[in-house]
């Protein structure tokens, strides 16, 4: 999946170096972008779960609000939820502000 991105960004900025280690590099994109196929989604997530750059990929996709596909083992809905949780976690609590 990420193989195409690797070919299009030359020279590769260092913040994208993690893509070289992506397990999906030589996997058919359809597996990661077939939203109508639960079996494909599960297969993609299984590949992500074995990926050495899972958390880098997830952090990127959540921060970039990638609207489609499985990234970092998460679906678009799961990434949206993660974004919401991250926002909640990074906000000072009302109790802390009152003190
Ligand atoms: S976590 Fe999944 S989508 Fe991300 S680079 Fe690895 S295999 Fe690809």
């Amino acid at each position: 999946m990420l193989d195409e991105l690797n070919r299009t960004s030359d020279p590769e900025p260092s913040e994208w170096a993690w893509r070289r280690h992506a397990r999906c590099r030589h996997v058919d994109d359809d597996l990661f972008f077939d939203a109508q196929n639960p079996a494909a989604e599960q297969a993609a997530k299984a590949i992500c779960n074995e990926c050495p750059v899972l958390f880098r990929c997830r952090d990127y996709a959540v921060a970039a609000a990638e609207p489609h596909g499985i990234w970092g083992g998460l679906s678009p809905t799961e990434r949206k939820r993660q974004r919401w949780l991250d926002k909640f976690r990074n906000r000072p609590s009302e109790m802390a502000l009152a003190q």
Side-chain angles (χ1 to χ4, degrees), residues 19-82:
R19 292 182 303 172
R20 280 193 226 123
H21 306 286
R23 290 241 11 229
C24 58
R25 281 187 69 177
H26 306 291
V27 176
D28 188 347
D29 290 357
D30 291 346
L31 199 59
F32 287 80
F33 290 95
D34 188 353
Q36 306 305 316
N37 184 347
E41 180 176 319
Q42 290 309 310
K45 287 180 173 180
I47 292 169
C48 292
N49 285 336
E50 300 292 322
C51 180
V53 293
L54 174 114
F55 293 108
R56 293 291 302 273
C57 177
R58 180 178 295 176
D59 288 349
Y60 158 74
V62 168
E66 283 287 347
H68 304 291
I70 303 299
W71 292 76
L74 299 179
S75 69
T77 301
E78 293 164 333
R79 288 195 299 276
K80 202 178 281 184
R81 188 177 309 129
Q82 185 66 51

Side-chain angles (χ1 to χ4, degrees), residues 87-97:
K87 215 183 287 180
F88 183 74
R89 281 193 198 108
N90 294 332
R91 193 173 57 192
S93 72
E94 291 178 15
M95 295 279 285
L97 291 173

